[in-house]
Amino acid sequence: VERTLALIKPDAVHKSDEIEEIILQHGFTILQKRRMHMTPEQTSDFYAEHYGKMFFPSLVAYMSSGPTLAIVLAKQSAITYWRQLIGPTNTQKARDQAPESLRAIYGTDSTKNSLHGSDSYSSAEREIHFFFPDSIVE
Ligand code: ATP
């Protein structure tokens, strides 16, 4: 069983009950959950790899605009499965190529894409630790 970090970003938090239903329907176990209004500093830290990119300021403004729901999901191949379920980063691309995906349903544009999923084992571990620093590392 693998763990991944899912974020329900500020633009989709008002739909979090509905999204959690879908998560459970797909057979994920919700291990931990935390609501957190990220500061611009925390957002910059979380997305440090994108520092200096054109979209970085709007990404920071978006992610610190309201509370985010961080959820640790567990399932076999959770990382790949969750990224498949949320779909492409860009909402329009998600609508064109994966209309059933969660970003196609809940996203607004290329920045406001409503959801996040860790992209590898090492980012999952780093990101889980970011939101749940006290959680036990297996
Ligand atoms: P990852 O790249 O780690 O697989 P991801 O699909 O969420 O994850 P990233 O490329 O990491 O996308 O970008 C992080 C976030 O920054 C995106 O989820 C989106 O909100 C925003 N973003 C990414 N690329 C762009 C872009 N070209 N224009 C505007 N916003 C963007």
PDB file of all heavy atoms in Angstrom, residues 93-107:
ATOM      1  N   LYS A  93      -7.081  21.567 -20.905  1.00  0.00           N
ATOM      2  CA  LYS A  93      -6.549  20.296 -21.416  1.00  0.00           C
ATOM      3  C   LYS A  93      -7.280  19.119 -20.754  1.00  0.00           C
ATOM      4  O   LYS A  93      -7.612  18.124 -21.407  1.00  0.00           O
ATOM      5  CB  LYS A  93      -5.046  20.223 -21.122  1.00  0.00           C
ATOM      6  CG  LYS A  93      -4.336  19.112 -21.844  1.00  0.00           C
ATOM      7  CD  LYS A  93      -2.830  19.199 -21.612  1.00  0.00           C
ATOM      8  CE  LYS A  93      -2.154  17.908 -22.035  1.00  0.00           C
ATOM      9  NZ  LYS A  93      -0.762  17.820 -21.569  1.00  0.00           N
ATOM     10  N   ALA A  94      -7.548  19.251 -19.461  1.00  0.00           N
ATOM     11  CA  ALA A  94      -8.282  18.205 -18.734  1.00  0.00           C
ATOM     12  C   ALA A  94      -9.668  18.025 -19.347  1.00  0.00           C
ATOM     13  O   ALA A  94     -10.124  16.898 -19.575  1.00  0.00           O
ATOM     14  CB  ALA A  94      -8.379  18.560 -17.260  1.00  0.00           C
ATOM     15  N   ARG A  95     -10.341  19.148 -19.649  1.00  0.00           N
ATOM     16  CA  ARG A  95     -11.687  19.061 -20.234  1.00  0.00           C
ATOM     17  C   ARG A  95     -11.638  18.407 -21.606  1.00  0.00           C
ATOM     18  O   ARG A  95     -12.526  17.630 -21.973  1.00  0.00           O
ATOM     19  CB  ARG A  95     -12.316  20.450 -20.324  1.00  0.00           C
ATOM     20  CG  ARG A  95     -12.670  20.952 -18.932  1.00  0.00           C
ATOM     21  CD  ARG A  95     -13.506  22.224 -18.955  1.00  0.00           C
ATOM     22  NE  ARG A  95     -13.740  22.638 -17.568  1.00  0.00           N
ATOM     23  CZ  ARG A  95     -13.654  23.878 -17.129  1.00  0.00           C
ATOM     24  NH1 ARG A  95     -13.384  24.870 -17.961  1.00  0.00           N
ATOM     25  NH2 ARG A  95     -13.868  24.147 -15.860  1.00  0.00           N
ATOM     26  N   ASP A  96     -10.577  18.727 -22.393  1.00  0.00           N
ATOM     27  CA  ASP A  96     -10.461  18.173 -23.736  1.00  0.00           C
ATOM     28  C   ASP A  96     -10.067  16.696 -23.727  1.00  0.00           C
ATOM     29  O   ASP A  96     -10.604  15.905 -24.489  1.00  0.00           O
ATOM     30  CB  ASP A  96      -9.406  18.946 -24.550  1.00  0.00           C
ATOM     31  CG  ASP A  96      -9.828  20.387 -24.815  1.00  0.00           C
ATOM     32  OD1 ASP A  96     -11.032  20.686 -24.680  1.00  0.00           O
ATOM     33  OD2 ASP A  96      -8.940  21.205 -25.142  1.00  0.00           O
ATOM     34  N   GLN A  97      -9.103  16.369 -22.862  1.00  0.00           N
ATOM     35  CA  GLN A  97      -8.500  15.034 -22.939  1.00  0.00           C
ATOM     36  C   GLN A  97      -9.004  14.053 -21.887  1.00  0.00           C
ATOM     37  O   GLN A  97      -8.871  12.848 -22.061  1.00  0.00           O
ATOM     38  CB  GLN A  97      -6.975  15.147 -22.818  1.00  0.00           C
ATOM     39  CG  GLN A  97      -6.379  15.970 -23.945  1.00  0.00           C
ATOM     40  CD  GLN A  97      -4.873  16.103 -23.816  1.00  0.00           C
ATOM     41  OE1 GLN A  97      -4.270  15.593 -22.878  1.00  0.00           O
ATOM     42  NE2 GLN A  97      -4.268  16.812 -24.762  1.00  0.00           N
ATOM     43  N   ALA A  98      -9.531  14.552 -20.793  1.00  0.00           N
ATOM     44  CA  ALA A  98      -9.976  13.666 -19.712  1.00  0.00           C
ATOM     45  C   ALA A  98     -11.210  14.259 -19.041  1.00  0.00           C
ATOM     46  O   ALA A  98     -11.171  14.667 -17.877  1.00  0.00           O
ATOM     47  CB  ALA A  98      -8.845  13.475 -18.706  1.00  0.00           C
ATOM     48  N   PRO A  99     -12.312  14.329 -19.789  1.00  0.00           N
ATOM     49  CA  PRO A  99     -13.511  15.018 -19.275  1.00  0.00           C
ATOM     50  C   PRO A  99     -14.068  14.450 -17.963  1.00  0.00           C
ATOM     51  O   PRO A  99     -14.789  15.146 -17.257  1.00  0.00           O
ATOM     52  CB  PRO A  99     -14.521  14.890 -20.418  1.00  0.00           C
ATOM     53  CG  PRO A  99     -13.981  13.878 -21.355  1.00  0.00           C
ATOM     54  CD  PRO A  99     -12.496  13.851 -21.159  1.00  0.00           C
ATOM     55  N   GLU A 100     -13.713  13.202 -17.644  1.00  0.00           N
ATOM     56  CA  GLU A 100     -14.180  12.615 -16.389  1.00  0.00           C
ATOM     57  C   GLU A 100     -13.281  12.998 -15.206  1.00  0.00           C
ATOM     58  O   GLU A 100     -13.635  12.720 -14.065  1.00  0.00           O
ATOM     59  CB  GLU A 100     -14.169  11.084 -16.463  1.00  0.00           C
ATOM     60  CG  GLU A 100     -14.784  10.488 -17.703  1.00  0.00           C
ATOM     61  CD  GLU A 100     -16.289  10.409 -17.589  1.00  0.00           C
ATOM     62  OE1 GLU A 100     -16.769   9.396 -17.057  1.00  0.00           O
ATOM     63  OE2 GLU A 100     -16.977  11.361 -18.024  1.00  0.00           O
ATOM     64  N   SER A 101     -12.128  13.575 -15.498  1.00  0.00           N
ATOM     65  CA  SER A 101     -11.155  13.832 -14.433  1.00  0.00           C
ATOM     66  C   SER A 101     -11.649  14.945 -13.502  1.00  0.00           C
ATOM     67  O   SER A 101     -12.471  15.783 -13.868  1.00  0.00           O
ATOM     68  CB  SER A 101      -9.798  14.205 -15.026  1.00  0.00           C
ATOM     69  OG  SER A 101      -9.862  15.477 -15.643  1.00  0.00           O
ATOM     70  N   LEU A 102     -11.117  14.946 -12.277  1.00  0.00           N
ATOM     71  CA  LEU A 102     -11.588  15.901 -11.273  1.00  0.00           C
ATOM     72  C   LEU A 102     -11.223  17.338 -11.627  1.00  0.00           C
ATOM     73  O   LEU A 102     -11.980  18.260 -11.344  1.00  0.00           O
ATOM     74  CB  LEU A 102     -11.033  15.523  -9.893  1.00  0.00           C
ATOM     75  CG  LEU A 102     -11.500  14.160  -9.359  1.00  0.00           C
ATOM     76  CD1 LEU A 102     -10.915  13.905  -7.978  1.00  0.00           C
ATOM     77  CD2 LEU A 102     -13.025  14.069  -9.313  1.00  0.00           C
ATOM     78  N   ARG A 103     -10.076  17.529 -12.271  1.00  0.00           N
ATOM     79  CA  ARG A 103      -9.733  18.898 -12.675  1.00  0.00           C
ATOM     80  C   ARG A 103     -10.656  19.389 -13.790  1.00  0.00           C
ATOM     81  O   ARG A 103     -10.980  20.580 -13.855  1.00  0.00           O
ATOM     82  CB  ARG A 103      -8.270  18.976 -13.099  1.00  0.00           C
ATOM     83  CG  ARG A 103      -7.324  19.078 -11.909  1.00  0.00           C
ATOM     84  CD  ARG A 103      -5.905  18.840 -12.318  1.00  0.00           C
ATOM     85  NE  ARG A 103      -4.942  19.227 -11.294  1.00  0.00           N
ATOM     86  CZ  ARG A 103      -3.657  18.884 -11.329  1.00  0.00           C
ATOM     87  NH1 ARG A 103      -3.200  18.140 -12.329  1.00  0.00           N
ATOM     88  NH2 ARG A 103      -2.845  19.284 -10.382  1.00  0.00           N
ATOM     89  N   ALA A 104     -11.078  18.488 -14.662  1.00  0.00           N
ATOM     90  CA  ALA A 104     -12.036  18.875 -15.706  1.00  0.00           C
ATOM     91  C   ALA A 104     -13.343  19.333 -15.070  1.00  0.00           C
ATOM     92  O   ALA A 104     -13.969  20.301 -15.509  1.00  0.00           O
ATOM     93  CB  ALA A 104     -12.279  17.710 -16.653  1.00  0.00           C
ATOM     94  N   ILE A 105     -13.737  18.672 -13.998  1.00  0.00           N
ATOM     95  CA  ILE A 105     -15.011  18.973 -13.345  1.00  0.00           C
ATOM     96  C   ILE A 105     -14.909  20.217 -12.450  1.00  0.00           C
ATOM     97  O   ILE A 105     -15.768  21.093 -12.494  1.00  0.00           O
ATOM     98  CB  ILE A 105     -15.496  17.753 -12.509  1.00  0.00           C
ATOM     99  CG1 ILE A 105     -15.726  16.550 -13.430  1.00  0.00           C
ATOM    100  CG2 ILE A 105     -16.752  18.085 -11.707  1.00  0.00           C
ATOM    101  CD1 ILE A 105     -15.886  15.227 -12.694  1.00  0.00           C
ATOM    102  N   TYR A 106     -13.824  20.300 -11.650  1.00  0.00           N
ATOM    103  CA  TYR A 106     -13.766  21.340 -10.624  1.00  0.00           C
ATOM    104  C   TYR A 106     -12.843  22.514 -10.942  1.00  0.00           C
ATOM    105  O   TYR A 106     -12.942  23.555 -10.298  1.00  0.00           O
ATOM    106  CB  TYR A 106     -13.353  20.724  -9.273  1.00  0.00           C
ATOM    107  CG  TYR A 106     -14.347  19.709  -8.774  1.00  0.00           C
ATOM    108  CD1 TYR A 106     -14.086  18.338  -8.844  1.00  0.00           C
ATOM    109  CD2 TYR A 106     -15.580  20.120  -8.262  1.00  0.00           C
ATOM    110  CE1 TYR A 106     -15.010  17.400  -8.399  1.00  0.00           C
ATOM    111  CE2 TYR A 106     -16.504  19.192  -7.819  1.00  0.00           C
ATOM    112  CZ  TYR A 106     -16.215  17.837  -7.891  1.00  0.00           C
ATOM    113  OH  TYR A 106     -17.132  16.924  -7.464  1.00  0.00           O
ATOM    114  N   GLY A 107     -11.966  22.370 -11.917  1.00  0.00           N
ATOM    115  CA  GLY A 107     -10.982  23.417 -12.193  1.00  0.00           C
ATOM    116  C   GLY A 107     -11.572  24.621 -12.908  1.00  0.00           C
ATOM    117  O   GLY A 107     -12.668  24.560 -13.461  1.00  0.00           O
TER     118      GLY A 107
END
